[in-house]
Amino acid sequence: QVYVVESGGGLVQPGGSLRLSCVASGRTFSTYTMGWFRQAPGSEREFVSAISWSGVSTYYADSVKGRFTISRDNAKNTVYLQMNSLNADDTAVYFCAADNRPLAKRSRTVLGYEYWGQGTQVTVSS
């Protein structure tokens, strides 16, 4: 069993920044592909970003490319999502996910992950 817990959400003004954190436990974190997804009320869960075991390879959704940065610190079993230039369309519950397979095309899909956190709310509003 793997447990993932997100934190760092909150209320931010348009154009502002926020950093989300996700701590994983229960298995060797460094062997897991990690991803971030988000879901607004009434909408399907959508891919945001993903990072490989080593942290060398990353994926980003087109909607966040250039604004968001994913990173990981395996010594702390933690993955981060730095979010800059936030706008109202970024408002959602953000979920952290983990999978023990290498980063691949599936890493951009909900079905590509076995373990999920409970989510942290990000609200962008003036």
Side-chain angles (χ1 to χ4, degrees):
Q1 182 65 48
V2 172
Y3 298 92
V4 292
V5 180
E6 309 94 334
S7 64
L11 176 65
V12 63
Q13 294 184 349
S17 298
L18 208 59
R19 189 179 77 160
L20 305 183
S21 299
C22 172
V23 178
S25 63
R27 295 291 185 272
T28 303
F29 176 78
S30 61
T31 67
Y32 279 75
T33 296
M34 302 295 296
W36 286 99
F37 291 75
R38 65 188 183 186
Q39 187 170 23
S43 301
E44 65 182 23
R45 193 167 299 186
E46 67 174 350
F47 170 75
V48 176
S49 187
I51 190 166
S52 65
W53 297 340
S54 67
V56 172
S57 299
T58 58
Y59 289 162
Y60 293 96
D62 289 342
S63 59
V64 307
K65 195 171 300 181
R67 299 188 298 122
F68 291 9
T69 302
I70 190 170
S71 62
R72 68 191 297 163
D73 185 342
N74 289 343
K76 297 181 178 179
N77 290 348
T78 302
V79 63
Y80 305 96
L81 185 68
Q82 178 66 48
M83 305 184 295
N84 299 325
S85 301
L86 288 163
N87 58 64
D89 292 334
D90 296 315
T91 295
V93 176
Y94 283 71
F95 296 90
C96 181
D99 193 80
N100 65 1
R101 295 170 293 181
L103 188 73
K105 187 175 181 179
R106 61 174 174 268
S107 303
R108 299 174 60 91
T109 70
V110 170
L111 294 178
Y113 296 84
E114 184 174 6
Y115 304 102
W116 292 83
Q118 293 300 305
T120 185
Q121 177 71 47
V122 172
T123 302
V124 185
S125 177
S126 60

